[in-house]
């Protein structure tokens, strides 16, 4: 965080040291509806960006200084997961049905299997699973259009009851 916003998260008396309490407060604020609801989670369970947070980040990425945001250690470790998950998504019924018949050919069950959610995965846990796939594959040349459309389909199915 200090690389993205130098000096914003440091101790006043010790400017070379990151003040973790300031970081925690900003992260906690980013969970609040009044502040955008960009994150879910906690320091104990880990933080996750929401779909709203991902959209916000994509809109504002151009404002970052330098050659882009540094890669996180977690993102570097994500390589194997991304590879396996991409293969799974490309082999899914939802992907095949979307490619042959468009979004209307994808059932709610197909969409749930695509995102690995069911009626027991609700609220923030459901949103986290969908946001993770959107973040990882929303811009993928083969999967992006399908991932975005199936996410919208799944969201619509949930609001219909």
């Amino acid at each position: 965080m200090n690389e993205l916003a130098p000096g914003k998260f440091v101790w006043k008396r010790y400017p070379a040291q990151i003040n973790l309490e300031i970081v925690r407060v900003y992260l906690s604020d980013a969970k609040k509806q009044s502040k955008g609801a960009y994150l879910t989670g906690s320091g104990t369970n880990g933080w996750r960006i929401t779909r709203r947070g991902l959209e916000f980040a994509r809109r504002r990425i151009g404002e970052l200084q330098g050659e882009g945001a540094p890669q996180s250690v977690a993102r570097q470790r994500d390589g194997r997961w991304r590879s396996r998950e991409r293969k799974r998504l490309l082999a899914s019924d939802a992907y095949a049905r979307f490619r042959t018949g468009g979004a209307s050919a994808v059932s709610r069950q197909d969409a749930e299997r695509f995102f690995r959610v069911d009626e027991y995965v609700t609220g923030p846990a459901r949103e986290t699973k969908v946001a993770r796939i959107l973040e990882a594959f929303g811009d993928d040349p083969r999967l992006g259009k399908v991932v975005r459309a199936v996410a919208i389909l799944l969201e619509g199915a949930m609001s219909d009851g």
Side-chain angles (χ1 to χ4, degrees), residues 12-123:
K12 288 184 192 310
R13 190 167 182 178
Y14 305 102
Q17 300 285 324
I18 304 294
N19 184 337
L20 295 179
E21 178 61 13
I22 294 173
V23 173
R24 187 199 61 75
V25 168
Y26 274 91
L27 290 170
S28 294
D29 276 355
K31 283 177 52 174
K32 295 178 182 173
Q33 206 59 280
S34 63
K35 303 279 183 159
Y38 298 135
L39 297 176
T40 61
S42 67
T44 304
N45 300 323
W47 297 96
R48 248 309 154 211
I49 194 166
T50 63
R51 186 178 313 170
R52 199 169 176 188
L54 183 59
E55 290 166 2
F56 173 81
R58 284 191 172 137
R59 281 193 316 270
R60 307 279 302 266
I61 192 79
E63 297 174 23
L64 291 174
Q65 300 292 324
E67 297 180 15
Q71 283 198 335
S72 70
V73 172
R75 185 167 301 260
Q76 292 168 2
R77 285 190 314 233
D78 250 6
R80 285 188 301 233
W81 172 83
R82 283 175 187 267
S83 177
R84 283 191 314 268
E85 195 65 8
R86 187 172 192 276
K87 286 176 188 171
R88 183 189 71 79
L89 294 170
L90 288 169
S92 71
D93 291 339
Y95 180 80
R97 290 191 174 114
F98 184 91
R99 300 298 293 167
T100 59
S104 61
V106 179
S107 71
R108 178 181 178 167
Q109 290 78 21
D110 292 334
E112 287 179 338
R113 282 192 296 272
F114 190 77
F115 287 104
R116 289 188 167 165
V117 297
D118 59 24
E119 67 270 13
Y120 300 109
V121 181
T122 61

